[in-house]
Amino acid sequence: MSVQERKERERAGRERLIVATARELAEQQGWDAVTTRRLAERIEYSQPVLYSHFRGKREIIGAVALEGAAEMAAALRAAASAVHGPHARVITLGRAYLDFAERNPAVYDAMFQLDGGLAFAQEDTPEPLKDAFAALLESLGEVAGDGVDPALFTEVFWAALHGVATLTRAGRLPPADAERRLELLVDRLAKI
């Protein structure tokens, strides 16, 4: 291994450490607790080293969002592939989405609530975000209905799931009705 390869590997390792530490701190204490100063202390590197990887908190949030999008895409695909039939697949997909949001609140916030400097629904949207949307589209496109653009249907369904996840987490919707809410969403929106 060349010196350059070793340096690149060490740099990538530091970036992974920064992102993992930011996620951990955000999940424990919220995103307000994530500062470059605190991260530098936790990873035992100076702030200039941290800034050599990320220009600031916004880019760190973006990195967490991209990592989270990849994890969400994998979780959605795994859930959808485990069941057969469109109705069961869409219910399972919705449940997996809501479970991901509940289990990873800080990551979910980085993905959809905070400014991570990422473009959504544009040509320069990063691949992990496109792939997370594609993971939804793969199952939802088949139930959009005749004459309905599958991508547009997926956006509406996703918006509904996001609303349910966000409102439930904020205590605005009772968690006990989560399954009934999901069934209603699928029965009313999806053409199954």
Side-chain angles (χ1 to χ4, degrees):
M1 174 183 304
S2 71
V3 172
Q4 182 64 26
E5 289 172 330
R6 182 182 53 76
K7 286 182 179 184
E8 287 173 13
R9 191 180 67 213
E10 288 172 356
R11 180 173 178 76
R14 278 192 308 272
E15 282 188 15
R16 283 191 303 276
L17 177 62
I18 292 166
V19 171
T21 304
R23 278 182 75 157
E24 180 183 313
L25 187 56
E27 292 292 0
Q28 291 170 354
Q29 299 176 30
W31 278 104
D32 287 343
V34 179
T35 64
T36 54
R37 181 181 192 179
R38 199 174 225 177
L39 283 174
E41 289 172 2
R42 284 209 174 190
I43 65 171
E44 298 179 345
Y45 283 100
S46 68
Q47 279 184 285
V49 169
L50 192 138
Y51 282 118
S52 74
H53 292 275
F54 298 99
R55 285 183 283 201
K57 183 175 176 177
R58 182 178 187 219
E59 282 191 5
I60 294 168
I61 290 169
V64 169
L66 293 176
E67 191 174 89
E71 291 169 9
M72 176 183 271
L76 295 175
R77 285 189 176 104
S81 70
V83 295
H84 300 289
H87 187 271
R89 192 168 25 263
V90 173
I91 288 288
T92 301
L93 179 80
R95 195 176 296 126
Y97 182 97
L98 295 172
D99 287 347
F100 181 90
E102 183 181 346
R103 280 190 330 272
N104 304 284
V107 172
Y108 192 81
D109 283 349
M111 292 168 66
F112 301 120
Q113 305 284 69
L114 301 174
D115 179 9
L118 303 174
F120 280 81
Q122 298 174 21
E123 283 190 32
D124 60 339
T125 298
E127 267 317 302
L129 297 179
K130 288 179 182 178
D131 191 49
F133 183 79
L136 289 168
L137 180 62
E138 290 161 10
S139 292
L140 295 172
E142 70 179 317
V143 299
D146 293 336
V148 177
D149 176 15
L152 185 60
F153 177 80
T154 300
E155 289 172 354
V156 170
F157 201 92
W158 169 36
L161 286 174
H162 174 69
V164 169
T166 303
L167 291 170
T168 302
R169 185 167 146 211
R172 306 288 197 280
L173 297 175
D177 293 329
E179 192 65 25
R180 287 182 35 215
R181 241 178 249 111
L182 185 56
E183 284 281 349
L184 182 63
L185 179 63
V186 170
D187 291 343
R188 295 292 188 246
L189 282 182
K191 302 293 182 192
I192 302 173

